[in-house]
Structures are given as structure tokens and as C-alpha cells.
Amino acid sequence: MTTLSPTSAPASHAGRATPASGTRTTGRARRSWTEHGLVFVAPFLVVYALFLIWPLVSGLGMSFTDVDITGVGGEFVGLDNYAEAFGDPAVWASLWNTVWFTVLSTVPLVVVGLVLALLANELRVVQWLWRIGWFAPFLLPSGVVCMLFLYMIYPSGFGLADQLLASVGLEPGIGWLTDERYAMLSIVLTTVWWTVGFNFLLYLSALQAIPPHLYEAAELDGASAWRRLWHITLPLLNRTTGLLLVLQVLASLKIFDQVYLLTGGGPDDSTRPILQYVYQQGFTGYRIGYASAVSYIFFALILLVSLAQPVLARRRRAEEAAK
Amino acid sequence: MSTATTTHTGGASGRRPRLTPGRTALLVVALFLVAAWLLPLVWAVATSLKPEGETTKTPLEWIGSKITFEAYAKVWESGDLLQWTVNSLFVSVVTTLLTVVLCAMAAYGFIRTDFRGRRLLYGLVLAGIMVPPQVLIAPLFTEMVQLGLVDTYWGVILPQVAAPAMVFILVKFFDGVPRELEEAAFVDGAGRWRVFWTIVMPLSRPVLAAVAIFTFISTWNNFLWPFLVTTDPNGMTLPVGLVNVQSSFGVRYAQIMASLVIAGLPLLVVFMLFQRQIVRGIAHTGLAGQ
């Protein structure tokens, strides 16, 4: 059962619980307040309603007003905010930057994660070293990672990136974060370094769950290491890869920290993602109504990606069943 | 060493790994990649130990004319870092405790009890998995202003507790706990509350640990929300404070790197101590195995 099929799987779980627990609770002679299921669910639901459902609803409401940051005095403006957003070149540019970052980062994050996991699984020595080396950066706050890259890796001349280029005889002095040609790539590079460890760990545990007898049979048949990788390992990792792709796309679409801290969206807004535009409109421009409208356009994009996953998974299952 | 490793990792085949030429080549590649990954961290530590005047020297010098802890002393003296660490610790611990307890209770209520509207409410919680918290920043902030929670610990904590994905993970786990154990306790006269706390919760330690670890890491490292909801430097969490203070350091690189090392260290140490559990925890949430 995959984790990311929120609509279908859990409903069946909950459904199964009904008859058994129902008869047991109603059949009891003495019932205390704790027998009621709502007692268990209520505390979470209160927090959930206040800090997820309510902002979701009120945000939608605000997107039809010109409310400011304190939430006071919003006049109803109908669809004006949405009309403005669709005609706002900055919305389209920052949406494009967001998608472009997602495209650039997803493939290396999944592929590098896979390669690192295959290496660690194949070597099966000094596992702690691979875990610490590749996973540890994931544990650092984005602030730490970005300050490190901003002040010590990317600065022109004395930065580590330039010095490494110089030491292998390449031309240093690249504007890693200041040149429009490289800024987004530098952000991707930092992101891969920082977060690939998570994908590495997921792949590693998927690899270690593959039963050894599958390989033993192939080895007896004289299959080479490459053939075993292509015909056994990679197909068995399909589900993990599919899941990781979706998780990665959803995570990358939400980019904010790295861009805000490394380039501030520049040079010339060329790296500014949609969430930063929301932040600028709402928190420095005080236009919460407009920021909410832009948020909801972005939310629609995220929903589209989330909903595509169960559909794709179902189609894949159908294909597998047809074979 | 190698036998111990192979037995618990159980990879392609159970035998002891031999050092064939192919494997040696792979090992070299892997070591090179690990070195590349650790390089930025080593560079940060190396810089933090240099005298301030030598941090921007070229060509590449890993160690300065002397190793000094001056930058650390300076950073620590300013006192802010300690305050932010305390804030981060408080926020992360409380968020983690609340998330674990509230989500576990909710999950148990959804999967093991019955009440009117249960399926509808569960559906509502599951639908929340698709709402990225980042989308809610504008209305959430306005709500915080109205509730007077800006610049308070609760303003940082509460929005992070409403984690529907954690409820889902716990529902999946509780569903697999054998009912017989609970039924025996019911026969002995225990109520739901006691069964939950004395039987279900202790049995669920691995998955609770996983949820706790995940929540702790993400709360400790969260930037955007604490950044928006705190304006008073005394109430900032570590990542937000660090970013806020860089301007006051000017371009004192050794001090900036020293503060990064101090800020990055706690979770790295925790990870090194609990590697096994954290890795198992990540697998346990059902993300990897399926």
C-alpha cells in the first residue's frame, strides 16, 4: 500500500473498523467519557480546524477582497485579484521560475540519490560513512546551508567553487549567484547537495528490502552485474522511483528558502519563485488579498500534480495487471 | 566488521564482500563522492578556525597560520545564539510532543472507535495532506495577528502541529496492531483510554519514534513560517536568527562560519548517535518499503 493515495486507501481502512469496534463499544455496560471516539479525535481536530481548515477557507475569502496585512477593512472586490494576477507578468515569470527550478532539480535529485544508494548497497562496507557523508547535509537548517554557500562557496575569487575550478585549470571568477546564466543552476546545485540524502536513504532501504534469492537465481544463470541491475534491481525500484518523483516535484514546487537566502530572487528577478512573490505582495507590499489570490493559483498547480499521482499509479497498476 | 555489516543489511547476497578489482573501483568512486559531499562542511569548519584576517586568502588554504577558537568565543559572547538555541529547542520539543500525542489520539479514534461523522471527518483530515502549508502563509499570518500570537512561541508551534500526514501514517500502523491484545484488556475491565495509553502506545514505539524524528527535524529546520511570525530577535528560532544576524557580522567570515557550525551541530550529533533508529524510522513510515 502506497502512502500517497490519500483518497482511496484510508477510506477502506476506516470502513473496516466500523462493525467490530461498533459492537464492542455499544455492548458495554458501563461507559465512561473516554469511550467516545470523539474524545480521541477532538484535540487534533480543534488545532486542525483552527490552523489548516480556517486559513484555507478565510484565504479563499480574502482573495476576493483588498484586505491588508492586519486583516482589517477588506472590501469585496470580486474576481479583480484573479483578473489582475492572470494579467500580471510577474506571476507568470515567478511561476515559470518555480517550474523551471523543479524541472532542473528533480532529475538530478532522483538519479544521484539512486546512484549513491546503489553504490552503498553494493559495497556493504563502512555504511555509517555513506550515511553520514550523504545524508548529514539534509539535517542542516536551510539557513545554515545557504549562509555557507553564500559566504564561502560561491563568492567570486576566494569561494571554494571558484578555487576548485582554478585548481583544475578552469577559468575562475564565475558569477555563481550574480550571473543570470548561472544563478538558477547554483541554487539547484546547493539544493542537490543539501537534500539528496533523503532520496538516497529511501532508495537504500528499498534496495535492502529486495530478497537476495532473486539475485542468486540470476547469478546461477550467469547474468552479469549489469543485466542484474537492469532486469532485477531497477524494475523492482519502480514504485520507489514513482513515489520519489512525486514527492520531489511537490517539494521543489514549494521552493522559497534557498532562493530568498542565496539570491533574494535576483539577478533581476530571474530566480524569484512564486512563493517569494506571494511573500513580497503580502508581507512587504501589505496586499494580503492579492497575495491570497496568487496563493490559490499556485495551490491549483500543486493539486493538479498531487491528483496526477493516483491516476498515473492506477494506470500503471492496470498495465501491470494486463501483462 | 564486514560480517556484522552483511548480516544486518542483507544486500544482494549474504556472503562476505570480496575486494575484486571492480569493487575496488566502486569503493574509490564512493569515497570520492563522500569527500565531495563533505567538502563544504570541512571548509566551513576550517574557516571558522582561522584568524579573521586569513579567511579570504587565495589560493586555497585549508588551515590558517594558526588554529584559533576566537571566532567561536566572539559569537558565543554576543549571547544571541544561546537564546535562539533555547527558542528552537523549546519550539521543536513542544511541537514534537503535541504532534505525537494529538495525532496518535486522533489516529486511534479514527481507526478503533466509532462515532457519528467519523468517516467524513477522516476524509477531511486526509484531504488536508494535499494542502501545502506554504500556501496558507498569508491568511495564517492575518489569523495570528487577530489572535495576538505574532512573536509568541504558540504562534510558531500551533500551525506545525496540524499534520494530517502523520495521522495517516499512524492510522496505517494502528490498523496492523492485533485487536486480540486490546480485547483481552477490555475483558479485564479496562476502558478505551487505558487501553490506548497502556497497550497501544507502548506497542507503537517504533512508528511514534519515526513520527517524532520527522517532526523534530522539520520543526528545527523550518525557516519560512518562523521567519514570518517572529519579528523580535529574542523570540527567533536558530535558522531565522542566523540569517537575521549576518548583517551585523559584516563580512567577518570566521564568525559567520563559527555560528553555522554551532547551529548545525546539534542535529548532526543526534544523527550520529541515533543513525540506525533514524534510518529505520524513515523506512518505517511506509515511504520506502511499500
Side-chain angles (χ1 to χ4, degrees), chain B residues 99-145:
Chain B
T99 305
V100 168
V101 171
L102 294 194
C103 292
M105 280 173 61
Y108 186 79
F110 280 128
I111 194 72
R112 282 291 206 263
T113 71
D114 199 16
F115 53 89
R116 195 185 289 258
R118 178 175 60 86
R119 299 187 65 160
L120 180 80
L121 287 173
Y122 188 51
L124 198 67
V125 171
L126 287 178
I129 293 177
M130 283 194 277
V131 181
Q134 290 89 338
V135 168
L136 302 177
I137 52 173
L140 203 52
F141 185 82
T142 313
E143 187 183 347
M144 290 297 164
V145 173

